[in-house]
Amino acid sequence: YSNFTLNENDPLLVFLQAQQQCVKGSVDEFYMWLVKSEDIDSMLALKEAVTDEDYLNDSMKVGNGTCGLKGFKRKVFQRAVLEYEDVQPAETAPPPSHNPSYNYSSSLQELNGNAFLPSNLFSGNDEPTPRSNMNANLSDPPGELVCPIGLVLMTVDPVLASDGVTYERASIENWFQKNVANIELARENLKWNPLSERDQRVFESGIRSPAYGSKMTNLSLTSNTSVRNMARAYKERKGRYLY
């Protein structure tokens, strides 16, 4: 893969990074193996691949020998892939193009000003449809109770983000901080090299949803006590925690 250049804004790579706990070895190397060796270069192609149980359990588990799927996380990964929706919300006004003087250092404060709460959060009308061809594993908690980043049952402090997805607060705040740090670094790099395409992409793409790869309209987080209560009830009912 020596001549392969990572596209950090590729929804496939963004998705794999969000599911890194399902991957053994390097996420970047797993991504390159999928694209170069397996011709899986999009989320659509990945969805088609994971519906093949034999390919999921054999080829994707082994990967290239040094990276692949963790055996006990294959079902979690499969569910996350099949529930992925390529949602592209309306974009807010982007930062000025190729303008290194744009101040992204106050990103958290600026974006946190707009509260966002989807009206259909608990209506069920727009929830991802369960795939009937998946073998239900009764030991797995419902997907809506599992944090898409940390893959843990959300019993501590689940919060709703502006992409309409609920995460554990610690996980999504860490995601925001890492992205803001990357944007800050790109901004500094552009001061010295304004023509750097990589830094321009990072700077202009903003903070992306870890679940969908689309731009976050804001960084507002709203406590989701309903999910917390359901997750705690599930944990108590099952009597044990498998994640």
Side-chain angles (χ1 to χ4, degrees):
Y1 311 129
S2 58
N3 296 325
F4 188 86
T5 302
L6 288 177
N7 178 4
E8 296 185 0
N9 295 319
D10 184 352
L12 176 60
L13 178 57
V14 172
F15 174 83
L16 293 175
Q17 290 171 340
Q19 304 298 326
Q20 59 183 336
Q21 292 196 22
C22 294
V23 178
K24 59 184 178 183
S26 166
V27 171
D28 289 350
E29 187 175 352
F30 184 56
Y31 166 75
M32 289 188 287
W33 173 74
L34 288 175
V35 174
K36 297 294 289 184
S37 300
E38 304 299 296
D39 294 323
I40 299 175
D41 57 0
S42 66
M43 286 304 301
L44 179 60
L46 184 60
K47 284 188 177 185
E48 293 177 357
V50 300
T51 57
D52 185 333
E53 294 286 345
D54 291 335
Y55 181 78
L56 175 69
N57 296 331
D58 298 331
S59 297
M60 294 192 75
K61 177 183 176 183
V62 175
N64 68 355
T66 59
C67 65
L69 289 181
K70 294 178 181 177
F72 70 102
K73 290 292 189 181
R74 281 172 291 169
K75 283 296 181 181
V76 176
F77 182 80
Q78 182 188 52
R79 183 176 62 205
V81 173
L82 294 177
E83 291 182 352
Y84 176 90
E85 293 184 355
D86 188 16
V87 178
Q88 297 295 334
E91 298 278 353
T92 55
S97 299
H98 314 314
N99 182 4
S101 65
Y102 182 81
N103 184 6
Y104 231 116
S105 61
S106 58
S107 298
L108 286 171
Q109 291 81 358
E110 292 175 359
L111 290 175
N112 264 327
N114 300 316
F116 179 89
L117 184 64
S119 60
N120 64 348
L121 175 60
F122 300 114
S123 68
N125 294 333
D126 292 319
E127 291 295 315
T129 303
R131 272 63 180 182
S132 58
N133 63 335
M134 291 182 64
N135 295 323
N137 186 342
L138 297 180
S139 65
D140 288 345
E144 62 270 19
L145 303 183
V146 176
C147 175
I149 300 176
L151 300 179
V152 296
L153 196 63
M154 294 186 285
T155 59
V156 180
D157 187 14
V159 290
L160 179 71
S162 64
D163 58 357
V165 178
T166 297
Y167 307 89
E168 271 292 5
R169 183 183 296 276
S171 294
I172 189 62
E173 287 185 343
N174 184 56
W175 175 270
F176 288 161
Q177 290 167 4
K178 287 182 178 179
N179 277 265
V180 169
N182 289 337
I183 292 169
E184 285 281 2
L185 179 60
R187 183 175 67 87
E188 291 299 316
N189 291 341
L190 286 171
K191 291 180 180 179
W192 302 100
N193 183 12
L195 300 181
S196 170
E197 294 183 1
R198 178 186 179 280
D199 290 315
Q200 288 172 357
R201 286 197 305 270
V202 172
F203 183 79
E204 294 173 3
S205 64
I207 297 177
R208 298 279 167 172
S209 161
Y212 299 134
S214 52
K215 183 178 287 188
M216 302 289 283
T217 57
N218 59 70
L219 303 189
S220 176
L221 298 174
T222 304
S223 293
N224 194 333
T225 55
S226 295
V227 166
R228 183 194 64 193
N229 293 340
M230 288 188 291
R232 289 179 178 179
Y234 174 88
K235 183 178 180 180
E236 181 179 356
R237 186 168 65 249
K238 296 298 293 185
R240 59 194 179 93
Y241 183 32
L242 301 178
Y243 281 76

